[in-house]
Amino acid sequence: MRRFTPAVPAALALATALTAVPAARADDAAGPPLGIAGCTTTACHFDVPPGTYDVKVLLGGEAASSTAVGGETRRALLPETAVAAGGRVARSFTVNVRTPEGEPTGADGTPGLDLVLGGSAPALADIRVTPARHPRQIFLVGDSTVCDQPGDPYSGWGQQLPQYLRKGVSVANHADSGESTVTYLGNPQLWATVQPRIHRGDLVLIQLAHNDKTTDEATYRANLETLVAGVRARGGEPVLLTPIVRRWFNADGTLNNGTALLVNGLGVDHPAVVRSVAAAHDVPLIDLTARTKALVESLGVEGSKALYLYNEKRDNTHTSVHGATVYAGLVRDGLVALHLVPEGLVRVG
């Protein structure tokens, strides 16, 4: 699966929106919090080095408002929040800033932290950005169904996951389009870059299968085991995820076929191997194949089209923003069920 590049880079549009606003600047990580001076009515820019930052926003204005916050490469950081006229609501989240800011093999993006104010009637009363103290990172290792996709209409579920997390937990999405277990381990921009960044207690979610079309079972299993061992060697906690299904229906309305359930041309049943490795090595497992299969089948042939890019691209593999958001919610539910993230650090609904 290839990377999809937007016709007009999002970074260019954002830079245009910010031309009238000088970059807010922090002299060092221990400096004063960065605030509303770095914002217009639609976006904020903070000139900070790579790292992890806590963001506290005060939403609301004289009129009724409804505000969502996104950032960096189209990440959803705060779900749309309604505030009554004259009211104020405080919300906080933690965001990872890195270079490249999106896919590891993609463009560097714009330096610093960029936020976009969305929603039906956005209103930002105040904002404070400070370096996060001892945040817990959730690293994502995956392919184009997980990654921070650079342009509409594509979105990976990892791009939507941050909106389900509260201050204290951030998502470092190192998923990359087109990667298999073989290429992810072999490319120095990928696993060799991610592994040294893992700290004790960090979670590393691994979902790789869609591009292992010619990987034999022994190699696929060994590659998953290498990733698991590499996470544990750094003191992190690996979590294996079976891949999201392809929207490929049988005549009876089920997805009980190799295309939908990620069985490759060599007969390798990827979800089954992931489950087997998780059981053999006592690794927490989120069975995203089973969860997405149940959901897609329950919606049926027509209802499930909106989860994928069928209407836009006749694409039954990649998800829309809506589908990625729904699937990120399934991942959130899996993390809570496994007690990997405290409920107090998770947004519901």
Side-chain angles (χ1 to χ4, degrees), residues 9-265:
L12 177 59
L14 181 58
T16 302
L18 294 172
T19 51
V21 180
R25 191 173 287 276
D27 291 331
D28 55 62
L34 303 172
I36 198 72
C39 301
T40 67
T41 57
T42 58
C44 302
H45 175 76
F46 302 101
D47 187 11
V48 296
T52 304
Y53 295 87
D54 290 333
V55 179
K56 182 177 181 179
V57 294
L58 189 65
L59 305 176
E62 294 183 6
S65 63
S66 187
T67 308
V69 181
E72 297 296 271
T73 303
R74 302 177 60 240
R75 296 180 219 160
L77 300 172
L78 187 71
E80 190 160 353
T81 303
V83 183
R88 298 289 187 273
V89 171
R91 292 287 186 269
S92 297
F93 55 88
T94 302
V95 59
N96 176 251
V97 176
R98 61 184 181 273
T99 301
E101 69 177 33
E103 296 179 86
T105 63
D108 282 354
T110 54
L113 170 60
D114 290 303
L115 302 176
V116 177
L117 306 176
S120 58
L124 177 68
D126 199 8
I127 186 170
R128 288 292 181 269
V129 176
T130 55
R133 291 176 135 337
H134 311 297
R136 189 177 194 190
Q137 295 278 22
I138 298 179
F139 288 90
L140 303 183
V141 170
D143 54 35
S144 60
T145 66
V146 184
C147 75
D148 287 350
Q149 288 279 3
D152 284 328
Y154 296 88
S155 182
W157 61 254
Q159 204 161 18
Q160 303 301 322
L161 184 61
Q163 67 187 300
Y164 290 116
L165 302 170
R166 299 182 187 274
K167 175 184 173 183
V169 183
S170 77
V171 175
N173 190 352
H174 290 268
D176 196 71
S177 293
E179 306 301 342
S180 66
T181 57
V182 175
T183 61
Y184 203 95
L185 284 168
N187 188 333
Q189 293 176 279
L190 298 172
W191 182 238
T193 297
V194 175
Q195 189 191 19
R197 298 181 180 180
I198 300 168
H199 292 89
R200 184 165 300 280
D202 288 339
L203 296 178
V204 183
L205 277 55
I206 301 165
Q207 186 220 280
L208 285 166
H210 281 84
N211 299 300
D212 280 281
K213 298 172 184 177
T214 60
T215 309
D216 63 79
E217 183 170 337
T219 301
Y220 184 64
R221 179 183 298 272
N223 289 343
L224 292 176
E225 291 172 338
T226 296
L227 289 166
V228 166
V231 174
R232 286 175 167 167
R234 295 287 303 169
E237 181 163 11
V239 182
L240 288 173
L241 287 78
T242 57
I244 67 169
V245 293
R246 293 190 179 98
R247 184 190 160 278
W248 198 266
F249 282 93
N250 293 331
D252 63 0
T254 70
L255 300 179
N256 296 323
N257 61 78
T259 299
L261 300 180
L262 282 296
V263 178
N264 75 10

Side-chain angles (χ1 to χ4, degrees), residues 265 310 349:
Y310 179 85

